[in-house]
Amino acid sequence: AELALETPVEFMLSGAEATFDGDGTEVYNNGGLRIVSKTVQEDPSEYSSNLYVLLLAENNSGRTLAIDDAYDSLSVNDFMTDYSFSGQELAHGESAALVIQLWESSLEENEIVSASEVKEIEMGFEIKEGYTTIDEPTVTIAFE
């Protein structure tokens, strides 16, 4: 069975330098690990109403750190909400996006249908060096 025909894809790249943007609202800063809140955005697809919370993590701790969520710990506007989160492991000097996907079905139950209706998110994180948990902060992220 033929799976798919080969299709060429073209990318247009501008000559502009990509710059690192560490701006945002700092929601965590401890032991050289900093987490900054960037925005909440809607799914670009017309088929999904999931929302995405975008955070930036910067590791200047001198160690390799793993950032995970504390299981089932997220609330939006004080309502527990279903979500997906993929943890990140950052070596010293590295930065990465942290993306929290808020599930459409759970948001609808709480009558949240757009990014502008997300006023506050609270979420527990687990920060580890190897197998050792070094911090378990609960982070509150407020949006205008």
Side-chain angles (χ1 to χ4, degrees):
E2 190 173 313
L3 294 176
L5 292 171
E6 190 174 305
T7 307
V9 176
E10 263 184 54
F11 292 100
M12 296 301 293
L13 301 176
S14 75
E17 290 271 323
T19 58
F20 176 81
D21 179 5
D23 291 347
T25 305
E26 188 174 270
V27 295
Y28 178 82
N29 191 341
N30 189 20
L33 179 66
R34 180 173 178 251
I35 299 176
V36 173
S37 163
K38 299 297 271 184
T39 189
V40 179
Q41 73 179 33
E42 296 176 11
D43 198 303
S45 157
E46 61 189 75
Y47 305 107
S48 168
S49 294
N50 293 332
L51 297 178
Y52 298 86
V53 181
L54 305 179
L55 307 171
L56 174 72
E58 301 173 37
N59 179 13
N60 290 301
S61 68
R63 309 175 283 186
T64 296
L65 298 177
I67 305 167
D68 273 308
D69 61 315
Y71 178 74
D72 225 10
S73 67
L74 185 133
S75 67
V76 176
N77 301 353
D78 290 327
F79 294 102
M80 294 308 287
T81 302
D82 294 329
Y83 67 96
S84 302
F85 178 81
S86 295
Q88 291 279 3
E89 186 171 271
L90 299 175
H92 172 72
E94 286 186 334
S95 297
L98 302 178
V99 180
I100 305 166
Q101 180 183 24
L102 304 175
W103 296 358
E104 172 183 8
S105 56
S106 192
L107 290 168
E108 282 176 356
E109 284 173 28
N110 297 321
E111 299 177 3
I112 296 169
V113 295
S114 72
S116 63
E117 293 174 303
V118 175
K119 300 302 180 201
E120 187 179 272
I121 291 172
E122 191 175 274
M123 181 171 172
F125 286 97
E126 187 176 34
I127 299 162
K128 290 183 169 183
E129 181 182 13
Y131 294 106
T132 306
T133 299
I134 57 174
D135 200 5
E136 293 182 289
T138 296
V139 171
T140 301
I141 306 162
F143 298 96
E144 301 284 314

